[in-house]
Amino acid sequence: MKQLLHTPDGVRDIYGKEYNKKLQVENTIHEMFISYGYEDIQTPSFEYFDLFSGDIGTTDTNGLYKITDNNGQTMVLRSDFTPSIARCAAKYFMEENKALRFTYKGNTFVNVAELQGKLKETTQMGVELIGEGGCDSDAEVIRLAIQTLKSAGLNKFKLSIGNVEFFRGLCEELKLSNEIELSLREYVSNKNFFAAQEYMVNLDLDKSVQDKILSINDLVGGLDALNKALGVVSNERSKQAVNRLIELYKAIEDCGLSEYIFFDLSMLSKYNYYTGMIFKGYALGNGDAIVKGGRYDNLLGQFGKDAPAIGFVVVVDDLLNALNRQDNGNDEYLTFALTKGRLANKTLELLEEIGITCEEMKDKDTRKLIFVNEELKLKFFLSKGPDVPTYVEYGAADIGVVGKDTIMEEERRVYEVLDLGFGKCRMCVCGPKEAGELLKHHEMIRVCSKYPVIAKDYFYNKKHQTVDIIKLNGSVELGPIVSLGDVIVDIVETGSTLRENGLEVLEEICNLSARMIVNQVSMQMHGDRIRTIINKLKEKIEA
């Protein structure tokens, strides 16, 4: 048999100095948890499928590793510790009628292909505080999260704190349906407010409703942001959520730790798992949150024992990555990744109109790769379009400018914050005129495209038509001409190339233009600078 020398995709071996450092960090974290009175607990590595499905789990069921036992029961490897601990607490401990404090450590498993290079097995350490629903328990968990990151050696980090009840109360106040609330929740949580506005315009919602939803984007900061939020809403549910955060702020301020926190009322979750305060911890050098937590007062009720609860998890692998990168000296710079060609030129023209320039980039003969404006502490580099979202997701760039088509195709985890208004075109289904009949009757057809992800989403999820998608990298118009495919999915600007080759637009998928995207961590750590740039650009575009 051929020797197997490499690990499966998404998992790795850890040894030597790297493993020793990981153990040291884990021991430090564990000591901090124990010092707060949390007791160790261990739950199984796999459980029944139902434990992680529906309103209980925080991972899409397609992302669970599933196995079947001898009785045909579907099991899953744990993707999240909290449901397991909630089940365990309801089964063994809830008769004691006292607060429960548990701490855990172990590996979690997420089987999601879209992670694109991210680990599918990660080590997590966390705490769960069950049986206390007051603000004191919120403050305890926030204090513990801050002191845990400090003890691990992290110097610069922030906890971004929100409350899901604020948005839910606002939607009730505006009498929005559950369907509309869910759609808006996704747009708002991704900072994609122009898409939220477009969605509401298409629904013909009243302008006052649109303005209230969009105002959430400005409710970011310290105590001033919370006081501002109280003036935005008139319903008690949202006001109680804000007052709870104000009380939390005062408790953290009394401990001398307020420099590590800020509030973001646009922070939401697409899961019904959370019921109140939620928070994430960010540090430069890592493309995602290293701490995630919140209140989940309804979860134990799924197991027949109602009790308030709150907790958080530290993703150890991401914390180690942040620790390794925290002293690279680039904290003071904002870095832009621009798409080579017309998009870069138009972006630089627009940036120059708001006072952001980079003289080095005007030298067409230069062979430099990184361009710097030392006065404004900005860096720029040029990249191929498909790479821009990757640089931004991983934090190599704070801000990127790229076409909407690339964002849709690459499916990277970034904030899409602004439509820059240029590079306008359409993503369309094109082909010979007679192919239109094939689209009407949902026949099995071949689709040629440079954009297989977009094509699949459109045909499978919008048209509910099964197709054979063939990826091409060159002139996709050749597909129908040489009978490789029946239709193509491609960008259409003027349509002249189609007409010259006997093809036409058969269906329109979506409008496209240049978009500004932002790294999730950068939006938290450099939020004021980035929002200033966004607002100036928005004013210029709308002028």
Side-chain angles (χ1 to χ4, degrees):
M1 290 181 63
K2 185 178 179 180
Q3 284 185 311
L4 297 176
L5 298 177
H6 202 282
T7 60
D9 182 43
V11 297
R12 62 187 292 259
D13 302 311
I14 308 176
Y15 51 87
K17 292 182 178 179
E18 182 182 11
Y19 190 48
N20 286 335
K21 183 173 182 179
K22 182 176 182 180
L23 288 176
Q24 290 173 9
V25 169
E26 289 175 354
N27 289 336
T28 299
I29 293 173
H30 184 250
E31 289 174 4
M32 181 60 67
F33 291 167
I34 295 298
S35 72
Y36 267 69
Y38 287 80
E39 298 181 355
D40 291 305
I41 191 171
Q42 178 177 311
T43 57
S45 297
F46 62 90
E47 303 235 24
Y48 289 114
F49 172 80
D50 290 346
L51 187 71
F52 295 96
S53 63
D55 291 340
I56 300 178
T58 57
T59 303
D60 188 281
T61 54
N62 292 327
L64 298 172
Y65 277 97
K66 304 177 185 71
I67 54 178
T68 305
D69 68 5
N70 292 335
N71 297 318
Q73 290 270 22
T74 301
M75 309 287 179
V76 295
L77 293 177
R78 65 172 171 237
S79 60
D80 177 11
F81 276 90
T82 303
S84 295
I85 293 174
R87 171 199 54 75
C88 184
K91 182 178 181 181
Y92 297 112
F93 297 98
M94 295 310 294
E95 302 304 326
E96 299 180 13
N97 196 28
K98 66 176 183 179
L100 304 171
R101 287 175 170 81
F102 295 119
T103 177
Y104 58 83
K105 182 185 86 168
N107 288 4
T108 58
F109 309 86
V110 181
N111 184 23
V112 181
E114 286 79 10
L115 290 178
Q116 302 182 44
K118 286 183 168 55
L119 291 173
K120 297 181 179 181
E121 179 184 18
T122 57
T123 301
Q124 296 189 354
M125 298 182 69
V127 297
E128 310 293 349
L129 172 51
I130 299 171
E132 289 194 0
C135 189
D136 287 346
S137 56
D138 293 356
E140 175 182 321
V141 167
I142 294 296
R143 286 198 309 271
L144 178 54
I146 293 170
Q147 291 177 343
T148 296
L149 294 179
K150 289 180 66 178
S151 67
L154 203 58
N155 299 324
K156 295 182 180 180
F157 64 89
K158 290 281 188 180
L159 295 191
S160 176
I161 305 172
N163 192 315
V164 297
E165 291 298 296
F166 177 82
F167 184 75
R168 289 172 180 167
L170 180 58
C171 289
E172 283 183 2
E173 177 183 320
L174 300 175
K175 296 181 171 55
L176 301 179
S177 68
N178 288 336
E179 181 182 355
I180 294 175
E181 179 184 338
L182 287 172
S183 296
L184 287 174
R185 189 190 304 177
E186 183 174 354
Y187 292 132
V188 171
S189 64
N190 289 324
K191 312 295 184 186
N192 195 344
F193 284 91
F194 66 87
Q197 183 174 25
E198 185 178 47
Y199 173 74
M200 291 186 287
V201 168
N202 291 335
L203 291 176
D204 200 26
L205 295 181
D206 190 82
K207 181 68 163 54
S208 62
V209 172
Q210 297 180 37
D211 290 343
K212 278 210 170 186
I213 293 295
L214 297 176
S215 69
I216 301 174
N217 189 35
D218 298 323
L219 303 180
V220 180
L223 195 57
D224 56 336
L226 297 181
N227 289 326
K228 184 178 180 180
L230 289 174
V232 170
V233 294
S234 59
N235 72 89
E236 282 305 309
R237 186 176 185 180
S238 296
K239 287 190 173 185
Q240 286 178 10
V242 176
N243 285 325
R244 177 79 169 234
L245 293 179
I246 292 174
E247 187 179 354
L248 172 66
Y249 175 82
K250 292 177 179 177
I252 300 303
E253 186 179 41
D254 288 343
C255 299
L257 298 173
S258 59
E259 65 181 289
Y260 296 101
I261 68 171
F262 70 97
F263 298 95
D264 182 356
L265 288 171
S266 68
M267 176 185 288
L268 303 171
S269 172
K270 63 181 179 180
Y271 302 106
N272 290 322
Y273 188 106
Y274 295 108
T275 58
M277 181 193 75
I278 56 174
F279 65 96
K280 292 183 179 181
Y282 297 95
L284 293 173
N286 197 69
D288 200 358
I290 54 179
V291 170
K292 305 173 185 179
R295 180 163 289 284
Y296 52 96
D297 289 345
N298 296 334
L299 184 56
L300 270 79
Q302 299 280 350
F303 307 105
K305 303 285 186 178
D306 288 322
I310 187 172
F312 72 85
V313 61
V314 178
V315 185
V316 176
D317 304 271
D318 288 344
L319 173 58
L320 288 167
N321 184 52
L323 288 169
N324 291 335
R325 295 172 180 268
Q326 70 175 345
D327 296 322
N328 61 12
N330 291 325
D331 293 1
E332 59 183 333
Y333 290 89
L334 278 184
T335 301
F336 288 75
L338 306 180
T339 303
K340 291 179 179 178
R342 287 186 298 172
L343 284 189
N345 295 334
K346 292 288 291 183
T347 302
L348 289 170
E349 290 174 10
L350 185 58
L351 289 174
E352 193 160 341
E353 290 184 35
I354 65 168
I356 294 178
T357 59
C358 187
E359 294 301 320
E360 287 185 328
M361 296 191 76
K362 295 180 180 179
D363 181 1
K364 302 302 180 183
D365 298 323
T366 183
R367 302 182 69 86
K368 293 182 68 173
L369 298 176
I370 300 290
F371 307 93
V372 182
N373 182 325
E374 286 290 354
E375 182 182 354
L376 298 178
K377 297 301 179 184
L378 299 174
K379 293 183 179 181
F380 302 82
F381 65 87
L382 300 176
S383 168
K384 287 188 175 182
D387 293 336
V388 170
T390 304
Y391 284 119
V392 174
E393 179 186 19
Y394 281 87
D398 302 291
I399 300 171
V401 174
V402 70
K404 174 65 175 177
D405 53 300
T406 303
I407 297 171
M408 295 170 65
E409 186 65 24
E410 294 300 312
E411 295 186 308
R412 292 291 181 175
R413 293 185 295 179
V414 297
Y415 290 144
E416 185 181 340
V417 298
L418 194 61
D419 184 343
L420 296 177
F422 54 79
K424 291 185 177 181
C425 49
R426 299 173 293 159
M427 183 68 70
C428 299
V429 181
C430 310
K433 185 175 182 179
E434 57 271 20
E437 290 300 313
L438 301 176
L439 299 175
K440 291 179 182 178
H441 302 298
H442 293 80
E443 295 186 24
M444 178 67 181
I445 60 174
R446 282 183 174 179
V447 179
C448 300
S449 184
K450 299 175 187 176
Y451 305 95
V453 173
I454 295 174
K456 182 178 180 181
D457 177 68
Y458 178 70
F459 279 99
Y460 281 69
N461 298 326
K462 307 289 193 312
K463 287 181 63 67
H464 308 294
Q465 180 175 0
T466 301
V467 297
D468 181 10
I469 298 174
I470 302 172
K471 187 178 189 304
L472 294 177
N473 296 303
S475 300
V476 293
E477 293 86 358
L478 274 173
I481 295 172
V482 300
S483 300
L484 176 63
D486 300 291
V487 297
I488 65 173
V489 168
D490 201 18
I491 293 174
V492 177
E493 193 168 357
T494 65
S496 58
T497 303
L498 293 174
R499 290 190 292 272
E500 289 180 11
N501 290 281
L503 307 178
E504 62 183 59
V505 173
L506 301 173
E507 294 178 355
E508 186 173 311
I509 297 176
C510 63
N511 292 317
L512 305 172
S513 59
R515 307 295 169 93
M516 177 175 282
I517 57 177
V518 177
N519 172 265
Q520 295 184 37
V521 176
S522 301
M523 189 59 131
Q524 315 303 327
M525 300 296 289
H526 295 306
D528 290 341
R529 292 183 68 189
I530 292 174
R531 277 188 287 273
T532 298
I533 292 172
I534 293 172
N535 289 334
K536 287 183 178 180
L537 287 173
K538 189 175 180 181
E539 289 176 6
K540 182 61 64 175
I541 293 167
E542 293 176 350

